[in-house]
Amino acid sequence: MRTGATATRRRALRILGAGAAALVAAPWASPAPRAEADAEILIGQSCQLSGPLAPLTRELQEGAAWCFEQVNARGGVHGRQVRVVALDDAYDPQRTADNVRQLIEKQGVFALFNLAGTPTTLAALPVLRERKVPLIAPFTGTDALRSGFDRYVFNVRAGYADEIEKIVQHLAVLGIDRVGVAYMNNSFGKGGLDAVKSAAARRDVVLAATAPLEIDGSGLRVAAQDLARARPPVIILATAGKLTSDFIAAYQSSGASAQFYALSVVSSQQLIQALGDRSKGVAIAQVMPYPWGSGTKLARELSELASRKGVEVGYNHMEGFVSAKVLVEGLQQAGPSPTRESLVRGLEGLRELDLGGYVVRFSERNHNGSNHVELTIVGASKRVLR
């Protein structure tokens, strides 16, 4: 039996669940939390459970949940079940920061996972850094998380700059030297616009016109008409979620034509469902392995799990699935009595992790796990083709 101030402090930090003890998490005090032998591994997530971007988060969460379910069914990680606590931020950065504080200080999460969105994730960074809580696989490709080294952030996906570089390089090879850009009027979209400008300048591609899009979808028709007047043969979309298909529909209704290139945070399934036959020819940059067929071990595994659930699999499912696998491997490497610091060291020690068709590389000096990008297109059969 523990005695004295140490025992009192440890008992105060233990968070009791409905049937089992949740992971012990030190709030803002030191020492950093250590998982107790009888505890769950409690992981926190702030994401869009409501609003127009919620469908993206749902796909991401489903893919991750399938991985965690598999792991837990096999006995968990060093005998502990992995459980994710998700709070809704509705794409509001202030709510994200508040959620992260609550997850760390009140819920006692061991680490954070798949925070979704650029402005929202950036709002959480000061809290993460202050509390020294690892963030694994944020669902954003912003350069703000990649241009400088952050010991507590581990990126599993390629960045938006990588995606845009691939798109502009492809267009230059095709001889296309004029593009338009429609971008969300926030840090995500503006970062995408800056990446297009940089990539275009390196290849003598001219920006014919640009149009900011409001997150709530207001003014889409005017933005579409502004771009249509410039008649660019290609429009690059630094957008996410429903706003993407809404803008494409508005532009097509203007009477102008262009080929659209979207970023990976667009759900191909949702885009096809929203646009139907009008989605044909839309190109989408992807940062994950092709989720259909049997081309990779990951695709076979994910397809089987999705089939059991009766869910049509997509790229966002794959990203959630891959992200969860990386987190689980990091927890395995952190040892039977993990701390946040041992999780950081465990992830850095992965070096070159081949998940079966997708390789993640981490080290003490590199937390950007991949720069893999490939281009896909929606075919006549309304299927995504490589």
Side-chain angles (χ1 to χ4, degrees):
M1 179 176 180
R2 299 186 181 96
T3 60
T6 299
T8 300
R9 183 173 67 251
R10 289 181 183 273
R11 283 195 298 270
L13 291 173
R14 189 168 286 117
I15 299 173
L16 297 179
L23 180 70
V24 174
W28 47 98
S30 60
R34 182 180 297 274
E36 299 291 348
D38 58 350
E40 296 173 314
I41 300 178
L42 196 63
I43 305 299
Q45 181 183 25
S46 180
C47 56
Q48 294 81 59
L49 303 179
S50 63
L53 296 181
L56 289 177
T57 297
R58 183 173 63 249
E59 293 177 350
L60 191 74
Q61 286 183 310
E62 285 176 340
W66 299 340
C67 174
F68 293 138
E69 286 171 6
Q70 274 192 323
V71 170
N72 289 339
R74 295 168 184 164
V77 179
H78 295 296
R80 299 175 180 84
Q81 300 284 290
V82 180
R83 182 162 67 90
V84 177
V85 177
L87 300 181
D88 183 21
D89 58 37
Y91 206 54
D92 179 342
Q94 184 57 56
R95 284 181 65 176
T96 306
D98 293 341
N99 285 350
V100 168
R101 288 190 188 94
Q102 178 179 334
L103 288 164
I104 296 169
E105 298 172 9
K106 297 181 180 179
Q107 301 282 356
V109 300
F110 188 61
L112 290 154
F113 172 73
N114 271 175
L115 298 191
T118 296
T120 45
T121 302
L122 295 181
L125 285 183
V127 185
L128 297 175
R129 289 166 177 161
E130 181 184 359
R131 305 294 192 252
K132 297 183 179 180
V133 179
L135 167 61
I136 295 87
F139 185 52
T140 170
T142 177
D143 190 54
L145 293 180
R146 290 164 173 80
S147 57
F149 179 79
D150 193 315
R151 189 162 190 270
Y152 296 100
V153 177
F154 291 83
N155 296 300
V156 171
R157 62 170 10 248
Y160 296 138
D162 296 318
E163 297 182 47
I164 288 168
E165 180 73 16
K166 185 79 169 183
I167 291 170
V168 176
Q169 180 184 47
H170 171 74
L171 296 177
V173 169
L174 295 178
I176 296 172
D177 58 4
R178 293 176 66 252
V179 300
V181 182
Y183 61 97
M184 289 177 73
N185 193 18
N186 63 5
S187 55
F188 157 56
K190 292 174 183 177
L193 175 62
D194 289 342
V196 174
K197 289 178 178 178
S198 296
R202 288 191 293 272
R203 293 176 174 82
D204 295 325
V205 174
V206 176
L207 265 65
T210 64
L213 308 180
E214 299 308 318
I215 297 169
D216 63 4
S218 60
L220 278 184
R221 181 175 297 180
V222 173
Q225 290 171 345
D226 288 344
L227 272 181
R229 279 193 288 272
R231 301 284 173 176
V234 164
I235 296 176
I236 298 173
L237 302 168
T239 57
K242 183 174 180 292
L243 187 63
T244 305
S245 54
D246 287 349
F247 175 78
I248 291 174
Y251 191 86
Q252 290 172 336
S253 297
S254 73
S257 63
Q259 183 172 10
F260 297 95
Y261 282 76
L263 300 183
S264 60
V265 284
V266 172
S267 167
S268 53
Q269 281 72 29
Q270 293 163 25
L271 185 141
I272 291 168
Q273 184 177 12
L275 293 176
D277 291 337
R278 293 186 295 171
S279 63
K280 178 184 175 182
V282 175
I284 307 172
Q286 307 291 358
V287 298
M288 288 287 139
Y290 195 69
W292 299 282
S294 58
T296 64
K297 178 183 175 182
L298 275 170
R300 293 191 297 272
E301 192 176 359
L302 184 66
S303 294
E304 182 179 346
L305 291 169
S307 179
R308 290 180 196 169
K309 301 288 185 179
V311 175
E312 183 182 355
V313 74
Y315 274 100
N316 291 326
H317 293 102
M318 178 64 84
E319 183 159 352
F321 191 59
V322 164
S323 299
K325 280 182 170 287
V326 172
L327 172 58
V328 167
E329 189 61 31
L331 291 170
Q332 292 282 8
Q333 297 301 316
S337 298
T339 64
R340 287 170 179 160
E341 288 301 313
S342 71
L343 174 57
V344 169
R345 292 193 300 271
L347 287 164
E348 290 177 338
L350 294 180
R351 305 298 177 186
E352 187 165 318
L353 176 65
D354 188 345
L355 297 171
Y358 188 80
V359 177
V360 176
R361 297 176 176 87
F362 288 137
S363 71
E364 294 85 351
R365 297 183 179 182
N366 173 49
H367 287 188
N368 295 329
S370 175
N371 60 2
H372 167 78
V373 180
E374 66 179 18
L375 297 181
T376 63
I377 192 167
V378 180
S381 60
K382 291 186 285 188
R383 292 180 59 86
V384 177
L385 308 174
R386 290 186 292 180

